Amino acid sequence: METATTARQHWMAVLARADANAMEEAWHGLDRQPAWEYLRRPETGLVMVRGRMGGSGGRFNIGEMTLTRCAVRLLDSGIAGFGYVAGYAHERAMWAALFDSLLQDAEHGPAVMAALITPEAERIQKDKKRASKRAAATRASFFTLERGHIGL
């Protein structure tokens, strides 16, 4: 069962990786484009990326990553949306924040989900599979012989 929190986590992850052109097309494809304002204009900074040893062990700092964030509010409903994207991507952060707010709105949410989130999630998944196949093609198999059993 998907809660509102897990649904938002899903679309925020998709928006963070979505193509700016796809977001712009989805915006222009809306029946009605709502008025909105910035709460926080796009700004770029650094965040610390953390990892876990072995995926589940102790935490450690991997390093810093450039991140752009933005916050907007829909004027008619007052719903706030937030966007976080990797790199210096002011336009993508603005689109991500705008679509986050629209997805929380009952009027626009289903249309945005169908026009943007579902196709972009599929594209992202295909890209991951393609990258995984390319990496698997370069895999090298190593074997070792136990010392003393070389058979010379």
Side-chain angles (χ1 to χ4, degrees):
M1 181 171 149
E2 187 174 76
T3 66
T5 301
T6 56
R8 190 168 186 204
Q9 288 171 341
H10 169 70
W11 79 57
M12 292 288 282
V14 172
L15 290 170
R17 295 171 181 86
D19 180 61
N21 293 329
M23 289 192 273
E24 188 171 357
E25 287 176 20
W27 173 256
H28 292 299
L30 292 174
D31 292 334
R32 184 181 69 82
Q33 298 157 344
W36 59 278
E37 66 180 351
Y38 283 113
L39 294 175
R40 180 185 303 265
R41 290 191 173 276
E43 56 188 16
T44 302
L46 294 173
V47 294
M48 181 59 68
V49 178
R50 300 191 78 192
R52 288 186 175 269
M53 289 183 236
S56 61
R59 294 181 184 199
F60 65 97
N61 294 335
I62 296 173
E64 292 178 331
M65 176 181 119
T66 306
L67 180 101
T68 302
R69 67 180 180 177
C70 181
V72 301
R73 177 176 48 214
L74 300 178
L75 295 180
D76 54 350
S77 64
I79 296 173
F82 304 90
Y84 297 89
V85 298
Y88 295 94
H90 289 213
E91 184 177 336
R92 283 185 51 234
M94 181 269 304
W95 286 122
L98 190 53
F99 281 112
D100 176 44
S101 64
L102 291 173
L103 285 157
Q104 295 174 68
D105 186 10
E107 179 185 348
H108 297 286
V112 172
M113 187 63 73
L116 178 65
I117 300 301
T118 301
E120 282 297 294
E122 290 171 1
R123 181 194 60 80
I124 291 165
Q125 193 64 27
K126 284 179 186 174
D127 288 350
K128 283 182 182 179
K129 284 183 182 178
R130 192 175 312 117
S132 179
K133 284 182 181 179
R134 275 197 313 257
T138 64
R139 172 182 268 160
S141 295
F142 295 97
F143 66 92
T144 60
L145 297 173
E146 190 173 327
R147 202 178 286 232
H149 296 282
I150 298 176
L152 297 176

